[in-house]
Amino acid sequence: MIIVMKPNPSREVVQGMVERVEKMGLKAHVIEGTERTVIAAVGDDRKGNKAVFESYEEVEKVMPILAPYKIASVETKPESTVIKVRDLVIGGGTVGVIAGPCSVESEEQVMETARQVKAAGAKGLRGGAFKPRTSPYSFQGMKEEGLKLLAAAREETGLAIVTEVMTPHHVELVAAYTDVLQIGARNMQNYHLLQAVGEVRKPILLKRGASASMDEFLLAAEYILDQGNQEVALCERGIRTFETHTRFTLPLASVPYLKARTHLPIVIDPSHGTGVASLVTPMCRAAVAAGADGLIIEVHPDPKNAASDGAQSLTPEVFAAAMEQCRKVANALDLNM
Amino acid sequence: MIIVMKPNPSREVVQGMVERVEKMGLKAHVIEGTERTVIAAVGDDRKGNKAVFESYEEVEKVMPILAPYKIASVETKPESTVIKVRDLVIGGGTVGVIAGPCSVESEEQVMETARQVKAAGAKGLRGGAFKPRTSPYSFQGMKEEGLKLLAAAREETGLAIVTEVMTPHHVELVAAYTDVLQIGARNMQNYHLLQAVGEVRKPILLKRGASASMDEFLLAAEYILDQGNQEVALCERGIRTFETHTRFTLPLASVPYLKARTHLPIVIDPSHGTGVASLVTPMCRAAVAAGADGLIIEVHPDPKNAASDGAQSLTPEVFAAAMEQCRKVANALDLNM
Amino acid sequence: MIIVMKPNPSREVVQGMVERVEKMGLKAHVIEGTERTVIAAVGDDRKGNKAVFESYEEVEKVMPILAPYKIASVETKPESTVIKVRDLVIGGGTVGVIAGPCSVESEEQVMETARQVKAAGAKGLRGGAFKPRTSPYSFQGMKEEGLKLLAAAREETGLAIVTEVMTPHHVELVAAYTDVLQIGARNMQNYHLLQAVGEVRKPILLKRGASASMDEFLLAAEYILDQGNQEVALCERGIRTFETHTRFTLPLASVPYLKARTHLPIVIDPSHGTGVASLVTPMCRAAVAAGADGLIIEVHPDPKNAASDGAQSLTPEVFAAAMEQCRKVANALDLNM
Amino acid sequence: MIIVMKPNPSREVVQGMVERVEKMGLKAHVIEGTERTVIAAVGDDRKGNKAVFESYEEVEKVMPILAPYKIASVETKPESTVIKVRDLVIGGGTVGVIAGPCSVESEEQVMETARQVKAAGAKGLRGGAFKPRTSPYSFQGMKEEGLKLLAAAREETGLAIVTEVMTPHHVELVAAYTDVLQIGARNMQNYHLLQAVGEVRKPILLKRGASASMDEFLLAAEYILDQGNQEVALCERGIRTFETHTRFTLPLASVPYLKARTHLPIVIDPSHGTGVASLVTPMCRAAVAAGADGLIIEVHPDPKNAASDGAQSLTPEVFAAAMEQCRKVANALDLNM
């Protein structure tokens, strides 16, 4: 941690800072510059001590040296984490594809989608049984009945099931049916929920919050990892910006950025990342080219009659065409898909 | 809802759209323009039908006419909602002030802060017992013991207690101790939690999510109102923007914007809204001048040793000076404070 | 244009609005809904009349039907515009690559870069002679001498020259030396400059402003097209968001979005779009996969000693490797590169 | 400047960095931490050397210690700069008010507005003669004829004239008629224009760009100051965020933030800062309460027929009422207005 003092601090103030730094178990180096005095506090500064120094009136700013996450870091574990569940592989040179409807609506809808996305190359089936909806007047999901339909689709197709859990006391129920538990963007900082899924021994797909910084995203993963669950995939699903022509802005540079800092695999969600069906296929191709370890895509047999997210759902035909294009890109870059 | 078709739609397509609109119980008006055909769907379009039409390939865009919230709207209830609990009044021409530490840390800290903020004019005492923290390595709160200290401070000072609840299964516990339940910004779209506090009969202070739109904010309130709890105060606490010199950007125009649309009172949080103690006092004055119904401010007897948020906490002395300035502004504008 | 009235407008107010609409040469349709009265104003509503209606107190909101740009629209010109100058082709199934240093610094630097980027497959040479710099204390460019060095590099290599012009009275000078004039992001709404380059008969590379909406971007192009210069390439170079781990956020969904609306070709700038050299190669691949018509990339023979933008410049070796990967992606998708 | 190395740098790399730092005339201190090696480069690091170190592959990040601006800094000039021209005073405890139409449209319009804003307490008259417009199809201003009307209004009322200049070759012309030259938000980084007005000996009102950081804003001022013109007022007019209910988001915390860092006075533009007439009055009051040194407000005798910006213009009556409220706030805080 680097503590920059305001101009011309008194000797006593600097001495007080040094003592405070040392009381924290860090080592202090004082550097007198021409315009500023700087105190470098050496040691593990992840414990939130930054705010302590920011609260001193004599301090101009405090700059951390280390990233605030630890278990998620490549420095802690250099080898990449690969998620494997049934035939779904995410990472390690394989692009795993999860596809399916936003909401589970009926047996027929789930079964038909499952068969078609499997035929097109998906290895995972997504589908919401518990739905977080912005409006209390929107469809809230089929709940446990939806989970049963997903399990039945797995029975038939062998696809790994990916579904969202929204609150800690549902974790056990959802985990009983699903292969991968999804934490939605709106719950990325729902810490009780993160801790609850940290105790499960199934992989977690953690979606980035719409305005979460990269450090906040990795710290949310850290909450899960810290409970002992090491199978976390990070999902970039777009951030909120001034841009309104898409529902969210999908920053694909997150892929190489994250890969340089964490061993966790990175999945891209181009459906929520754009919110517009016609933009999904090009963004799928781009995600694969950027190095993503997986894709999660909304597919609905009849988007016009979908209970939710129809505007961003692909038809099974368009999805199949997108997969073919993505495979070409993957092959060109020596990736499995 | 206004449905704008792509150029030159076929007669059949338009007819199909009209039928779809009417199947929803809305009335369709077709308007043939020089460059576009537009279908106006008349009736209550709040039920999420927008996405249905957006999923048609022949549709260029869909524009809602009505705001998506209903119970929160001034059209439903023109008279302002005023929150009154003990001596704390928020709204109706009175600026209610809630102050206190970010986290409850000890009996001495809570008691001293309570006495001092009361002396300076606060009517509510804030303090976190359950703390949502970005990092799993940060202090997570004193939990029930913290609630007991808050209740003890109320016993002595008569201040109304305001504290955060983070997960549905804590609602009963927290409600047993507190006067106002706070929903934090990170939980604004935690719908199970919103529904749980909607069943309580105590006022709710709902903080705006850092990237929530105004409609999303009012729909979050709608979740609570829809469960029967009519006492909701909206708290603007800053949004995430490209601006980094403050922790968040505090858009005070939210105050008059919301007042024109909802009957719910508006509270401003200049502590989180700036993240910097030296900016809090001017933003308190500005919030009162903008017409805010309340303020919630972090005050700590010793910010340098605070367990959290020291950088944005005022000392009791600075808080007292801020209150005096705010009262001058309030008096000049014929507001009680 | 759709004019939504506030609840319960008087008959006179509605009649007044209708007359105002008709005075503008538009046709008015009044639709009485259950909760709102809506007036649809039919005809070309691009002339800024929206603000007129927004200034009525009785109006709740005004929603345009037509996009505000016209010459840039695919509706006006369905066939794609292809930029061709020397061997550089941008669009029509060919991905044109422009590469070179941020600033022209010396004859040796320009010549060496030109030779190397040509060998790796670039068809255009970029290089700044007049440099817009955030700080007055930074290097401001070699000016005309820099233009001469670029022209000399073209002489030797045949590469098309792309360089920025910053102010109207330099247009003639820069146009005398360069093949493509670049308008930088900071000047995207410098209307005198847009009009000045609109009078030139050389292609323009128009960079998107860091916070420009898509409509503003296309209207900036419209300024140029409106002066008679039909050769405009749009360059997405990243937008400013809350994200700080990259210099800007590069929204590749701009590519398919723009392609659906304009006939102008789209170039991606992954160097400014990320600001970090290690992120440039993956974003080059992703841009090609997303369907970009061109790339503009900063390459410097010695980034550590670059006069500007060293942190985001590729070495010629890294650039050559990136080109090879991009060509694989392009070939897989049947694009020329 | 603090240079943080990636983990485990070789001795040679560190030695190379130290030499590079010293070659720049800075002093290097190497600090070996438990997880990182850090090099503190002591001395004036404003010259853009940061990018040099960021271009080293072995460097993780570079953090500047000093703000990049110098002449604008309170450290260079602790006493506040006060702008005085005719009766308009901005700063030093006086809130100067500039009001008038977005565009100059006719003699009658300008004269009537001038008389009315003067009667309500304004000391400056704003009005655009050269208009930057997003669309080439919008009204572009009356140009020199507009300047003459402004000068005539000054003749009669004594108000100081404030008008925008858009391009360097208009500076002389505009300066001949006006008292204060305004640089618009879209031109904040038009460096040729900044340098041109830096040579004028009249005050400059510099508007913040819609996505300019605070450092960029102050560096733009630095361009003007560096040419010798010391009379610069900074105008916060709102930033572009995800928020769409207002045209821009007006961050009033800019006022105390800037006042702690620069001696230049701060003016707030609540008209552009909100884009909605009904929000302007509360934001005027809030700006005064936040400590602004001036206000610039759009006032039009007939907003419904304004050539531009009608939606955000106040009528003279509403303006007069806003002024009265602002004066009450100013008086309560011992400010002149």
Side-chain angles (χ1 to χ4, degrees), chain C residues 231-309:
Chain C
E231 295 189 290
V232 177
L234 300 172
C235 180
E236 171 64 81
R237 43 74 77 200
I239 58 174
R240 187 154 274 181
T241 72
F242 71 83
E243 181 75 88
T244 54
H245 78 277
T246 44
R247 194 169 159 194
F248 293 98
T249 296
L250 186 63
L252 290 177
S254 298
V255 176
Y257 175 88
L258 285 168
K259 280 179 164 278
R261 277 157 192 79
T262 182
H263 50 86
L264 301 173
I266 321 298
V267 173
I268 294 292
D269 176 350
S271 303
H272 289 85
T274 63
V276 183
S278 65
L279 304 178
V280 170
T281 299
M283 287 303 98
C284 285
R285 297 191 310 250
V288 172
D293 298 303
L295 294 171
I296 180 164
I297 302 166
E298 289 193 351
V299 177
H300 193 287
D302 183 8
K304 291 182 185 55
N305 289 302
S308 55
D309 275 358

Side-chain angles (χ1 to χ4, degrees), chain B residues 28-110:
Chain B
H29 293 254
V30 178
I31 304 163
E32 308 267 1
T34 46
E35 303 187 38
R36 287 290 184 286
T37 296
V38 159
I39 301 166
V42 171
D44 186 344
D45 63 3
R46 286 186 188 86
K47 279 160 213 146
N49 294 322
K50 182 168 171 270
V52 169
F53 294 103
E54 285 175 334
S55 67
Y56 279 79
E57 212 185 318
E58 300 88 354
V59 167
E60 189 167 288
K61 60 177 170 182
V62 184
M63 304 180 290
I65 293 173
L66 299 175
Y69 45 86
K70 197 153 184 170
I71 317 177
S73 170
V74 274
E75 293 179 40
T76 302
K77 173 172 178 285
E79 61 280 8
S80 298
T81 293
V82 180
I83 305 280
K84 288 185 195 178
V85 48
R86 298 182 188 266
D87 293 341
L88 175 64
V89 179
I90 300 173
T94 297
V95 183
V97 178
I98 301 159
C102 178
S103 301
V104 173
E105 295 165 18
S106 70
E107 189 182 339
E108 197 197 332
Q109 173 234 24
V110 173

Side-chain angles (χ1 to χ4, degrees), chain B residues 2 4 7 29 31-36 38 40 42-43 46 61 63-66 70 75 240-242 244, chain C residues 2 4 7 29 31-36 38 40 42-43 46 61 63-66 70 75 240-242 244:
Chain B
I2 300 290
V4 181
H29 293 254
I31 304 163
E32 308 267 1
T34 46
E35 303 187 38
R36 287 290 184 286
V38 159
V42 171
R46 286 186 188 86
K61 60 177 170 182
M63 304 180 290
I65 293 173
L66 299 175
K70 197 153 184 170
E75 293 179 40
R240 188 155 272 182
T241 72
F242 70 84
T244 55
Chain C
I2 301 290
V4 181
H29 293 254
I31 303 163
E32 308 267 2
T34 45
E35 303 188 36
R36 287 291 184 284
V38 159
V42 171
R46 285 187 187 85
K61 61 178 170 181
M63 303 181 291
I65 293 173
L66 300 175
K70 196 153 187 171
E75 293 179 41
R240 187 154 274 181
T241 72
F242 71 83
T244 54

Side-chain angles (χ1 to χ4, degrees), chain A residues 256-306:
Chain A
Y257 175 87
L258 285 168
K259 279 177 166 279
R261 276 157 193 81
T262 182
H263 51 86
L264 302 173
I266 321 297
V267 173
I268 293 292
D269 176 349
S271 304
H272 288 87
T274 64
V276 183
S278 64
L279 304 178
V280 171
T281 299
M283 286 304 97
C284 285
R285 296 192 310 252
V288 173
D293 298 303
L295 294 172
I296 180 163
I297 302 167
E298 290 193 351
V299 176
H300 194 286
D302 183 7
K304 291 182 184 57
N305 289 302

Side-chain angles (χ1 to χ4, degrees), chain A residues 31 33 35-36 42 61 64 75, chain D residues 33 36 42 46 61 64 75:
Chain A
I31 304 163
E35 304 187 37
R36 288 291 184 284
V42 171
K61 60 178 170 182
E75 292 179 42
Chain D
R36 288 290 184 283
V42 172
R46 286 187 187 84
K61 60 179 170 182
E75 293 179 41

